[in-house]
Coordinates of all heavy atoms in Angstrom, one line a residue:
H393 N -12.5 -39.9 -7.4 CA -13.3 -38.9 -6.8 C -13.5 -37.7 -7.8 O -12.5 -37.3 -8.4 CB -12.8 -38.4 -5.5 CG -12.9 -39.5 -4.4 ND1 -14.0 -40.2 -4.1 CD2 -11.9 -40.1 -3.7 CE1 -13.8 -41.1 -3.2 NE2 -12.5 -41.1 -2.9
V394 N -14.6 -37.1 -7.8 CA -14.9 -36.0 -8.7 C -14.1 -34.8 -8.3 O -13.8 -34.6 -7.1 CB -16.4 -35.7 -8.7 CG1 -16.8 -35.1 -7.3 CG2 -16.8 -34.8 -9.8
H447 N -30.5 -38.1 -2.1 CA -29.2 -38.6 -1.6 C -28.8 -37.8 -0.4 O -28.5 -38.4 0.7 CB -28.2 -38.5 -2.7 CG -26.9 -39.1 -2.3 ND1 -25.9 -38.5 -1.5 CD2 -26.3 -40.3 -2.6 CE1 -24.9 -39.3 -1.4 NE2 -25.1 -40.4 -2.0
D449 N -26.2 -36.2 0.4 CA -24.7 -36.1 0.9 C -23.8 -36.2 -0.4 O -22.9 -37.0 -0.4 CB -24.4 -37.2 1.8 CG -23.1 -37.1 2.5 OD1 -22.6 -35.9 2.5 OD2 -22.5 -38.1 3.0
T450 N -24.1 -35.3 -1.3 CA -23.3 -35.3 -2.6 C -22.0 -34.6 -2.4 O -21.6 -33.7 -3.2 CB -24.1 -34.6 -3.7 OG1 -24.6 -33.3 -3.2 CG2 -25.3 -35.5 -4.0
N451 N -21.2 -35.0 -1.4 CA -19.8 -34.5 -1.3 C -18.9 -35.3 -2.3 O -19.3 -36.3 -2.8 CB -19.3 -34.6 0.1 CG -19.0 -36.0 0.5 OD1 -18.0 -36.6 0.1 ND2 -19.9 -36.6 1.3
P452 N -17.7 -34.7 -2.6 CA -16.9 -35.3 -3.6 C -16.5 -36.8 -3.3 O -16.2 -37.5 -4.3 CB -15.6 -34.4 -3.7 CG -16.2 -33.1 -3.3 CD -17.2 -33.4 -2.2
H453 N -16.5 -37.2 -2.1 CA -16.1 -38.6 -1.8 C -17.2 -39.5 -2.2 O -17.0 -40.7 -2.4 CB -15.9 -38.7 -0.3 CG -14.7 -38.0 0.2 ND1 -13.4 -38.4 0.0 CD2 -14.5 -36.9 0.9 CE1 -12.5 -37.6 0.5 NE2 -13.2 -36.6 1.1
N454 N -18.4 -39.0 -2.4 CA -19.6 -39.9 -2.8 C -19.9 -39.8 -4.3 O -20.9 -40.3 -4.7 CB -20.8 -39.5 -2.0 CG -20.7 -40.0 -0.5 OD1 -19.9 -40.8 -0.2 ND2 -21.4 -39.3 0.3
L455 N -19.0 -39.1 -5.0 CA -19.2 -38.9 -6.5 C -17.9 -39.5 -7.1 O -16.8 -38.9 -6.9 CB -19.4 -37.5 -6.8 CG -20.8 -36.9 -6.5 CD1 -20.8 -35.4 -6.4 CD2 -21.9 -37.4 -7.4
L456 N -18.1 -40.5 -7.9 CA -16.9 -41.1 -8.6 C -17.1 -40.9 -10.1 O -18.2 -40.9 -10.7 CB -16.9 -42.6 -8.4 CG -16.7 -43.1 -6.9 CD1 -16.7 -44.6 -6.9 CD2 -15.5 -42.5 -6.3
W463 N -20.8 -41.7 -11.0 CA -21.5 -42.6 -10.1 C -21.8 -41.9 -8.8 O -20.9 -41.3 -8.2 CB -20.7 -43.9 -9.8 CG -20.3 -44.7 -11.1 CD1 -19.2 -44.5 -11.9 CD2 -21.1 -45.8 -11.6 NE1 -19.2 -45.4 -12.9 CE2 -20.3 -46.2 -12.8 CE3 -22.2 -46.4 -11.3 CZ2 -20.8 -47.2 -13.6 CZ3 -22.7 -47.5 -12.1 CH2 -21.9 -47.9 -13.2
L464 N -23.0 -42.1 -8.3 CA -23.4 -41.6 -7.0 C -23.4 -42.7 -6.0 O -24.3 -43.6 -6.1 CB -24.7 -40.9 -7.1 CG -25.3 -40.1 -5.9 CD1 -24.3 -39.1 -5.4 CD2 -26.6 -39.4 -6.3
V465 N -22.5 -42.7 -5.0 CA -22.4 -43.8 -4.1 C -22.8 -43.4 -2.7 O -22.9 -42.2 -2.4 CB -21.0 -44.4 -4.1 CG1 -20.6 -44.8 -5.5 CG2 -20.0 -43.4 -3.5
D466 N -23.0 -44.3 -1.8 CA -23.2 -44.1 -0.4 C -24.6 -43.4 -0.2 O -24.7 -42.2 0.1 CB -22.1 -43.3 0.3 CG -22.2 -43.3 1.8 OD1 -23.3 -43.8 2.3 OD2 -21.3 -42.8 2.5
W467 N -25.7 -44.2 -0.2 CA -27.0 -43.7 0.0 C -27.5 -43.8 1.5 O -28.7 -43.9 1.7 CB -28.0 -44.5 -0.9 CG -27.8 -44.1 -2.4 CD1 -26.9 -44.5 -3.2 CD2 -28.6 -43.1 -3.1 NE1 -27.0 -43.9 -4.4 CE2 -28.1 -43.0 -4.4 CE3 -29.7 -42.3 -2.8 CZ2 -28.6 -42.2 -5.4 CZ3 -30.2 -41.5 -3.7 CH2 -29.7 -41.4 -5.0
M469 N -27.7 -41.7 3.7 CA -28.4 -40.5 4.2 C -29.6 -40.2 3.3 O -30.1 -39.1 3.2 CB -27.5 -39.3 4.3 CG -26.5 -39.4 5.4 SD -25.4 -37.9 5.5 CE -26.6 -36.7 5.9

Side-chain angles (χ1 to χ4, degrees):
H393 293 300
V394 71
H447 184 279
D449 191 20
T450 53
N451 72 75
H453 293 287
N454 290 337
L455 288 160
L456 301 177
W463 299 86
L464 185 54
V465 304
D466 192 352
W467 287 81
M469 293 179 62

